[in-house]
Amino acid sequence: MIDFTLTSEQKALQQVAREFAQDVLKPIVREADAEPDPQKGFQMIKPAYEKAYELGFAMCFLPKEYGGGGVSNVDLLIAAEEITAVDPGFGCVLLVNGLALLPLVWFGKEEQRKKWLTLACNDPKKSFLAGWVVSEPAGSPGGTANFDHPSPQAGIQVTADLKNGEYVINGRKYWPSSAAGWDMQGADVSVVVVRTDRQKGGKGGLSCIIVPRGTPGVTYEPCIDTMGHRLNQNCDIRYDNVRVPEENVFALGEGDLVISKAFTWSGPVAGIAGVGVARTAYEYALNWAKTYTAGGLDPIIYHQNVGYMLTDVAMKIEAARYLSWKAAAYADSYDCENYSLGAMSKIFGGETAMQCVYDCMRVVGINSYDRRSHPFDKLMRDVLCFPIYDAGNMGMQRRKIWGMLAHPSFNPRSFVDHELVEFTREMEGIGSVTARPGAA
Ligand SMILES: Cc1cc2nc3c(=O)[nH]c(=O)nc-3n(C[C@H](O)[C@H](O)[C@H](O)COP(=O)(O)OP(=O)(O)OC[C@H]3O[C@@H](n4cnc5c(N)ncnc54)[C@H](O)[C@@H]3O)c2cc1C
């Protein structure tokens, strides 16, 4: 049955999320966003994070048996839209707990799940943070998009060598959220994607390692000073002979599959974050258009171009919301195996949101450019992130869909029939090997 009606439980969830966002989060957003020191800005959100933890938002996606909320992906989106409409950077902090800890649910061992998920869901301080540590610094080679490249010299370059029952980690990661923690001494736990086999490429050479807070040899450089999403912390991390017990590894040789699945699960959440930001811009522009006359006698909504533009913005927001809901419903049906639809909802939600915020600025006109009096400076800085974070739309998300479409097994009717489109390792790696002009 296709039914877009919210149940009474979903309406209640939406209401709790909306009240949290308006009453707890909103009062701190402006100051935290304006704070020039990114770490100080991150620390300013801690009381709101603790409240979010208490309300269950920080770990709602983890299974109930470990103390998590066990919410469906659809319910998660209903709450996420309300929070990201007020601040997507804060939403990102919550999202990253899922990116880091859900791989344990899908690929981890039961002892690891019991230990780390139970700790994450039952923190008496209500401030537990998990780091999802994949991305690497720019360089040649460097970067992240080609994690599934067949050469061991390309893709993920942080290494972990097994010596005497311990993995020894070396290298540098750049961008991961929350990993430095509230005090720059580390998140409570980080899940780090590393190369455990120096002879193998991205498919087969990568694994995940659980690195607890306080592990010697991990150092944190000053946080990245981002244009937007400033309530989120982006880290620069160095690993210098960091030793962790062998039992902390999981998905051995399957780190590529973890990256593909985690950045698929997050797709609809990032998509709805775009919807949240676009919704805020739209509601502001609509109200402006109904009250501002631009020197004429009537509000500008009575100019046809203004009406048409706002109509298009409203339509695009609805379309992006329902694609995210569909991708989430599909994830609920197939244990988060929503690779294509998850990626589509992330791409569409973020890119649509960018256009919507800009169109709202055009509707409001020159006054939208006034930072002090109107919210568009922050909305624009925040929205610019969507196409390039959470696995960039070009090098990672579109490439993932392309790999599936190109595979002989792909059935284009799968989405309309709501059937499982199986994702296999054969679909990874497409487009990662290039033919440079003049190369032998
Ligand atoms: C707010 C925020 C939060 C973040 N949180 C985290 C986190 O928690 N953990 C984490 O690990 N990272 C995090 N990141 C980093 C982020 O997830 C990036 O999406 C990721 O590093 C990949 O970026 P990229 O696709 O631009 O890769 P890059 O490797 O930097 O690629 C750059 C560009 O090159 C092009 N390109 C490269 N290869 C190809 C190809 N094969 N085909 C086509 N085009 C290609 C694409 O246009 C791509 O966009 C965060 C970033 C931000 C801003």
Side-chain angles (χ1 to χ4, degrees), residues 127-429:
S127 60
F128 195 100
L129 285 176
W132 161 242
V133 183
V134 180
S135 300
E136 300 203 350
S140 294
T144 311
N146 298 292
F147 67 96
D148 47 357
H149 195 287
S151 164
Q153 273 77 49
I156 299 291
Q157 292 300 309
V158 171
T159 52
D161 301 306
L162 186 58
K163 287 179 191 159
N164 306 322
E166 287 179 321
Y167 276 99
V168 184
I169 309 174
N170 278 291
R172 185 175 167 209
K173 294 281 187 182
Y174 200 78
W175 285 111
S177 301
S178 306
W182 300 112
D183 55 3
M184 295 297 279
Q185 299 298 311
D188 294 275
V189 68
S190 286
V191 169
V192 187
V193 180
V194 290
R195 183 172 299 276
T196 42
D197 189 334
R198 289 173 184 252
Q199 311 308 319
K200 289 191 180 155
K203 297 195 231 176
L206 309 182
S207 308
C208 295
I209 295 195
I210 302 164
V211 179
R213 175 180 163 86
T215 304
V218 189
T219 49
Y220 302 94
E221 303 291 329
C223 294
I224 301 170
D225 197 4
T226 54
M227 289 168 67
H229 275 64
R230 289 188 65 81
L231 275 63
N232 181 72
Q233 176 199 57
N234 287 105
C235 307
D236 180 358
I237 315 159
R238 288 176 195 272
Y239 298 87
D240 185 13
N241 288 319
V242 174
R243 292 170 189 277
V244 286
E246 187 180 354
E247 70 201 33
N248 284 23
V249 78
F250 69 95
L252 191 64
E254 296 194 327
D256 54 323
L257 296 175
V258 179
I259 293 176
S260 291
K261 183 154 181 163
F263 281 133
T264 288
W265 167 80
S266 59
V269 194
I272 213 76
V275 169
V277 174
R279 180 182 105 178
T280 299
Y282 160 65
E283 287 175 1
Y284 192 90
L286 181 64
N287 184 52
W288 175 264
K290 285 182 169 175
T291 49
Y292 177 67
T293 61
L297 287 177
D298 293 314
I300 59 172
I301 188 92
Y302 298 111
H303 293 294
Q304 192 181 48
N305 66 310
V306 170
Y308 280 2
M309 279 184 74
L310 286 171
T311 302
D312 284 0
V313 166
M315 177 178 74
K316 287 174 186 167
I317 291 172
E318 292 300 301
R321 178 181 293 118
Y322 303 139
L323 181 55
S324 289
W325 283 10
K326 160 88 186 184
Y330 191 89
D332 286 332
S333 305
Y334 296 113
D335 189 26
C336 299
E337 295 283 311
N338 56 331
Y339 294 85
S340 297
L341 280 175
M344 286 180 196
S345 63
K346 193 260 168 176
I347 296 168
F348 189 72
E351 293 179 10
T352 301
M354 269 199 54
Q355 190 60 48
C356 287
V357 172
Y358 178 54
D359 286 347
C360 287
M361 285 185 73
R362 294 201 293 160
V363 163
V364 170
I366 190 59
N367 288 288
S368 67
Y369 213 54
D370 173 351
R371 297 180 65 187
R372 221 169 293 148
S373 313
H374 301 282
F376 288 97
D377 161 61
K378 178 176 185 295
L379 291 169
M380 193 46 115
R381 286 187 287 106
D382 283 341
V383 88
L384 282 173
C385 181
F386 291 127
I388 54 177
Y389 88 151
D390 193 47
N393 284 1
M394 296 293 174
M396 295 178 84
Q397 299 287 9
R398 275 191 173 82
R399 201 160 66 75
K400 181 165 56 187
I401 303 171
W402 175 29
M404 297 186 79
L405 262 58
H407 196 269
S409 69
F410 180 72
N411 169 14
R413 298 262 171 94
S414 304
F415 306 129
V416 67
D417 294 343
H418 203 77
E419 281 174 1
L420 177 64
V421 188
E422 275 186 51
F423 181 79
T424 68
R425 196 171 245 166
E426 283 177 19
M427 298 167 181
E428 289 184 337

